[in-house]
Amino acid sequence: MPRHTLNLKVGSSIILLRNLDPPKVCNGTRLCVSKLMVNVIQATILTSNNEEESVFIPRIHLIPSDMLFEFKRLQFPDRLAFAIKINKVQGQPLKVAGINLQTPCFSQGQLYGACSK
């Protein structure tokens, strides 16, 4: 579940957490916020074949699975993307990347994947 408050500004880099319109707008797509509205975010795609295309991200119902009881939240399915986990970076074109190795990697494959970026 994404955080219940999301402080975005125009120009922020975000990553999508749900499939909205596969294969164009799916989980892991990096976007740049163009315009903020109450129930919709207008964003520009930064990755994939649809680069520089404008898309709209609506608020959707999210149901947490790790709670003892069930409830719904109406929120945007995205998160700020200034830091991306190693497994989300695979396949992403990056010009510059920094690696934080203060905590050890889970496996050698993850370290290789991070260093190869």
Side-chain angles (χ1 to χ4, degrees):
M1 289 288 292
R3 297 175 59 104
H4 67 282
T5 43
L6 184 64
N7 298 319
L8 292 178
K9 295 180 180 179
V10 173
S12 296
S13 178
I14 58 175
I15 190 164
L16 204 59
L17 300 176
R18 297 283 190 272
N19 291 335
L20 293 181
D21 185 18
K24 184 170 68 170
V25 184
C26 57
N27 183 16
T29 303
R30 286 189 313 135
L31 306 156
C32 180
V33 176
S34 302
K35 187 175 182 183
L36 294 168
M37 294 169 259
V38 176
N39 292 314
V40 178
I41 296 174
Q42 183 179 358
T44 305
I45 299 175
L46 297 175
T47 58
S48 76
N49 296 336
N50 302 313
E51 193 172 338
E52 300 296 323
E53 187 174 333
S54 184
V55 294
F56 293 96
I57 303 169
R59 286 186 183 207
I60 62 172
H61 287 285
L62 296 175
I63 303 169
S65 59
D66 59 345
M67 304 292 279
L68 297 174
F69 51 91
E70 187 175 299
F71 67 92
K72 289 183 189 179
R73 267 194 332 209
L74 186 66
Q75 68 183 90
F76 294 110
D78 56 8
R79 182 175 285 176
L80 283 170
F82 292 113
I84 301 175
K85 292 183 179 179
I86 293 172
N87 52 354
K88 288 271 189 192
V89 153
Q90 293 176 351
Q92 302 271 345
L94 301 173
K95 293 180 182 173
V96 177
I99 304 169
N100 182 2
L101 294 175
Q102 289 179 343
T103 57
C105 285
F106 180 71
S107 68
Q108 292 175 340
Q110 282 187 325
L111 181 60
Y112 174 77
C115 292
S116 67
K117 281 288 149 193

